[in-house]
Amino acid sequence: MMIPPFDVASCRLPEDMEILLLGETGSTNDEARALGKSGAREGTVVVAERQTSGRGRRGAAWVCPAGEALAFSILLRPPEPKPLWPRLALAAGLAVAEALDSFGVEAGVKWPNDVWVRSRKICGILVEADADFVVIGVGINVNTGAFPENLEDIATSLFIETGATHLREDVLSGVLFRLGVRRRQIGADFPDLLRSLSERCVLTGKRISLLTAAGRKEGLMEGFAPGGELWIRTEAGQETIIQADEVRILS
Ligand code: BTN
């Protein structure tokens, strides 16, 4: 499959964003963080053709085959109070899912911010905050034709879902425009964001199992608390889950 190199000039962008394209880097999150520390403007988007040590959540590695995947990080300096910044993780997952719909898939969000198509992961997001900025790192499987055996049942790509290759510039552009809208909803408009997220969340109304700081829990996912936490109905009653790993759908 011939995938053209990323072409910055043909990538439409919101007015307040600009792209820095790198051929190869360790991790675009690390690049964006270094830029943030040296005072780079908010809205800088670091895109890499190839990451040699891409990072996922919980210290996992994130592998992006050159050219096939879209790997980028956005530097933001949110005006909202810092305790609200973690909501950007939800805004980012929702923005990616909304953008992917226009490529002919039905994308859902697996709280907090994996994006799924047909119960398979198509995008992972890693949000890292520093003193006065946030980096939102996004990896989207765009033109990946096949995954290694250990991933083929749990990962997918736009190419696998639609049978066509897609320009990564178009995917990036779609995500940045949606993020431009959703990132501004982490304050007063957060209930709007949560309503949309609730409709898109693949966990809503499902029995789920998750690993919390207090141990493994099972329950019915009933919706979101006002701060974006999960509400689950367990045998003990309704519980609010702030953070969890290994979130699984049981039925
Ligand atoms: C996850 O699902 O575990 C999160 C994966 C995040 C991967 C992206 S790729 C661009 C950016 N740079 C990184 O090193 N990680 C994020």
Side-chain angles (χ1 to χ4, degrees):
M1 174 190 328
M2 267 299 293
I3 297 165
F6 192 94
D7 176 25
V8 176
S10 70
C11 186
R12 279 191 337 109
L13 286 178
E15 268 172 16
D16 53 355
M17 295 189 186
E18 70 182 353
I19 293 181
L20 174 67
L21 176 66
L22 303 172
E24 179 175 299
T25 184
S27 153
T28 55
N29 265 35
D30 292 345
E31 293 283 353
R33 182 185 280 255
L35 287 168
K37 282 188 191 298
S38 62
R41 59 165 276 203
E42 107 118 22
T44 304
V45 181
V46 182
V47 180
E49 280 287 3
R50 193 171 124 78
Q51 289 191 123
T52 51
S53 41
R55 292 185 285 110
R57 286 191 290 131
R58 301 186 295 277
W62 181 263
V63 181
C64 312
E68 294 180 358
L70 179 58
F72 64 98
S73 301
I74 307 153
L75 169 66
L76 294 180
R77 300 186 185 275
E80 291 83 4
K82 206 166 176 183
L84 301 186
W85 293 5
R87 295 178 177 184
L88 285 167
L90 303 179
L94 180 59
V96 171
E98 289 175 334
L100 292 187
D101 274 3
S102 63
F103 294 87
V105 296
E106 267 182 43
V109 177
K110 181 181 173 233
W111 180 91
N113 57 13
D114 282 350
V115 179
W116 275 17
V117 174
R118 273 191 319 121
S119 303
R120 293 167 168 81
K121 182 162 167 170
I122 196 164
C123 164
I125 295 172
L126 178 66
V127 178
E128 296 178 309
D130 209 287
D132 58 354
F133 63 86
V134 179
V135 170
I136 301 178
V138 181
I140 304 177
N141 302 323
V142 177
N143 292 317
T144 317
F147 289 92
E149 209 176 318
N150 61 327
L151 294 181
E152 64 188 8
D153 289 340
I154 55 172
T156 192
S157 70
L158 273 183
F159 176 77
I160 291 171
E161 296 301 322
T162 64
T165 56
H166 297 273
L167 288 176
R168 289 170 299 154
E169 297 84 335
D170 293 344
V171 178
L172 177 60
S173 176
V175 171
L176 294 181
F177 277 100
R178 286 315 300 159
L179 187 63
V181 174
R182 293 302 186 187
R183 61 164 289 206
R184 298 191 200 285
Q185 296 187 312
I186 64 168
D189 292 340
F190 196 54
D192 278 354
L193 189 155
L194 280 187
R195 250 190 307 278
S196 301
L197 186 65
S198 183
E199 284 163 15
R200 282 216 180 240
C201 182
V202 298
L203 307 178
T204 306
K206 298 271 166 51
R207 284 199 67 74
I208 61 173
S209 144
L210 30 74
L211 193 59
T212 72
R216 182 159 292 282
K217 303 215 176 235
E218 271 188 34
L220 181 69
M221 172 3 190
E222 293 194 321
F224 291 101
E229 307 84 0
L230 278 193
W231 265 333
I232 64 166
R233 170 84 40 196
T234 66
E235 280 177 1
Q238 193 179 61
E239 297 190 34
T240 303
I241 308 292
I242 297 170
Q243 216 177 5
D245 290 331
E246 294 178 32
V247 185
R248 273 186 254 140
I249 297 176
L250 299 174
S251 58

